Amino acid sequence: MNFLKDISKGIIKENPTFVLILGMCPTLGTTTSALNGMGMGLATMVVLTLSNIAISLVSGQIPGKVRIPSYIVIIAAFVTVVQFVMQAYAPGLYSTLGLFIPLIVVNCIVLGRAEAFASKNGVLDSAIDGIGIGLGFTASLTVLGFVRELLGSGSVFGIKLLEGDGMLVFVLAPGAFIALGYLMVLFNKLKSRIL
Amino acid sequence: MEYIIIIISAVFVNNILLSQFLGVCPFLGVSNKVSTAAGMSGAVIFVIAVSTLVTYLLQYYVLIPLGIEFMQTIAFILVIAALVQMVEIILKKISPSLYQALGIFLPLITTNCAVLGVALIVVTKEFTFGGEAHMLNLAEAMVYAIASAVGFGVAMVIFAGLREHLDLVNVPKVFKGAPIALITAGILALAFMGFAGLV
């Protein structure tokens, strides 16, 4: 029961995108379709979980003054691993996400969780925290990608649902900002009703 | 002529913030006042220029000759983190007034995706400025990097100006804060789309 609570915390109460407003660059840059958003979210989740585990294991040995650079190096190592795995097994997704894969290193969510959670908690808790926050991030990216793809090209996960070409602006840059803004409004509205 | 094309394209047409989404965190975070936005932009221009120079040389004179390009991400982020620290220390010594103006923004810049993003773009992407596709040489890379950073500054300052006015407007409660800022940014991005086709 506690596990469920920890995991769901990342999805609603501490949702990285809609509540904490972190990691905006990949959120806006990669959600041109639901599939791209989901791919980016999952890649971040893998890095986040692995780096949380590694950092919770070694944080006792790292002197306080150099901890941030050390965390960044650990995160960068896992990002490089994910980069190679994606290049080998999902080359199409890798080339669409492009620059944003190496940029997971500077995603505030990953470093934020390392500093705020993994460095102070045990391995299992840190792993669960990584999965929870990662799932929340994946869910928000998928929803944003879903909305942009539906409005922009009339399809979802590549399956055509609406007639016509859709409003191209939602696939382009301005649509990302506007769609995310309105989704945030919707999220705030629903949250104030539930809680 | 070629440099002018690079500059116009990087500042306006492919604005790093509004069309490539690099550096959105500080864009939303520290854009409440024009003066803070300008300070942040100054620090970003400075750090992007220095870090692109160093990472470009690192890529072509260390990583490629040694055949360890896969270390790119780790090496670049380490260089940037170290550089930001160094810039902070040097500025404090040689120009206390500039340090006063930029000081508080410098630590934030390490995790600004625009810095790592530009450093990676100039060594991995092929450009078609002035004819056929080619990798940028050092001079072009520097012009591109500085122009991108200036583009960041332009968007930052305009947006901060808009937000100063936005504070005084009566906005529905659910739109307060980030949502209305994002929608405003979207409209600003629409305006910048007007530059498409200029180059």
Side-chain angles (χ1 to χ4, degrees):
Chain A
M1 204 51 216
N2 216 357
F3 283 174
L4 271 179
K5 210 173 142 199
D6 276 343
I7 287 185
S8 71
K9 162 190 91 180
I11 299 175
I12 298 171
K13 235 172 92 190
E14 286 182 31
N15 187 297
T17 310
F18 293 119
V19 180
L20 305 177
I21 319 188
L22 291 174
M24 283 292 122
C25 304
T27 307
L28 296 163
T30 61
T31 50
T32 47
S33 74
L35 193 66
N36 290 348
M38 201 161 126
M40 184 68 212
L42 289 175
T44 312
M45 184 171 106
V46 171
V47 172
L48 183 58
T49 312
L50 293 176
S51 70
N52 259 5
I53 292 173
I55 287 166
S56 72
L57 281 173
V58 298
S59 64
Q61 266 88 62
I62 299 175
K65 274 189 182 157
V66 293
R67 68 180 194 287
I68 299 287
S70 323
Y71 295 166
I72 291 181
V73 174
I74 293 172
I75 295 166
F78 286 120
V79 168
T80 310
V81 171
V82 167
Q83 209 174 336
F84 279 129
V85 171
M86 284 185 76
Q87 220 166 351
Y89 295 101
L93 190 63
Y94 178 78
S95 62
T96 16
L97 299 181
L99 191 61
F100 286 100
I101 296 293
L103 284 182
I104 296 175
V105 179
V106 284
N107 189 323
C108 338
I109 298 172
V110 182
L111 191 62
R113 288 329 279 182
E115 169 75 3
F117 196 93
S119 61
K120 302 184 187 95
N121 287 283
V123 180
L124 192 63
D125 286 338
S126 303
I128 290 167
D129 179 72
I131 293 172
I133 299 280
L135 276 180
F137 189 60
T138 310
S140 1
L141 257 64
T142 313
V143 170
L144 182 58
F146 179 94
V147 170
R148 286 180 67 190
E149 197 183 353
L150 185 66
L151 294 174
S153 60
S155 51
V156 168
F157 286 108
I159 302 160
K160 196 92 181 140
L161 290 182
L162 299 177
E163 290 292 316
D165 290 333
M167 294 168 275
L168 187 63
V169 72
F170 278 99
V171 180
L172 300 175
F177 287 107
I178 295 172
L180 182 61
Y182 276 103
L183 276 178
M184 244 175 221
V185 170
L186 202 68
F187 188 86
N188 287 346
K189 189 89 195 157
L190 288 177
K191 216 179 78 178
S192 66
R193 195 161 293 175
I194 295 169
L195 298 174
Chain B
M1 191 59 213
E2 201 199 322
Y3 292 123
I4 297 173
I5 295 176
I6 296 181
I7 291 171
I8 292 176
S9 136
V11 176
F12 296 111
V13 183
N14 293 311
N15 187 285
I16 191 167
L17 251 175
L18 296 168
S19 85
Q20 304 194 54
F21 305 113
L22 296 175
V24 182
C25 295
F27 180 61
L28 294 173
V30 290
S31 59
N32 288 322
K33 279 168 70 186
V34 173
S35 55
T36 359
M40 182 72 184
S41 309
V44 167
I45 294 171
F46 193 65
V47 170
I48 285 189
V50 181
S51 69
T52 307
L53 178 67
V54 176
T55 51
Y56 186 95
L57 297 175
L58 183 74
Q59 169 83 0
Y60 284 101
Y61 293 99
V62 179
L63 296 184
I64 290 181
L66 293 177
I68 48 169
E69 290 101 320
F70 63 87
M71 292 289 282
Q72 202 180 47
T73 315
I74 301 180
F76 279 22
I77 191 70
L78 266 181
V79 165
I80 291 169
L83 257 178
V84 172
Q85 281 283 324
M86 237 168 65
V87 165
E88 210 179 326
I89 296 168
I90 294 172
L91 266 188
K92 212 173 180 176
K93 262 268 184 291
I94 60 168
S95 169
S97 58
L98 192 62
Y99 177 78
Q100 282 291 319
L102 304 182
I104 40 167
F105 303 111
L106 285 171
L108 286 175
I109 291 177
T110 313
T111 51
N112 181 338
C113 355
V115 181
L116 183 61
V118 170
L120 286 169
I121 287 174
V122 294
V123 297
T124 51
K125 207 170 138 193
E126 287 196 325
F127 284 85
T128 50
F129 300 126
E132 54 206 277
H134 62 291
M135 301 301 282
L136 297 179
N137 62 34
L138 184 57
E140 288 167 334
M142 288 311 293
V143 172
Y144 175 81
I146 294 170
S148 295
V150 170
F152 176 88
V154 168
M156 244 343 235
V157 171
I158 295 176
F159 188 58
L162 289 173
R163 278 187 93 174
E164 278 188 356
H165 286 275
L166 216 55
D167 279 346
L168 307 170
V169 182
N170 192 10
V171 178
K173 200 176 145 227
V174 279
F175 278 90
K176 278 242 163 68
I180 191 73
L182 279 165
I183 293 165
T184 314
I187 295 166
L188 188 59
L190 267 180
F192 267 75
M193 265 179 77
F195 290 114
L198 197 65
V199 172

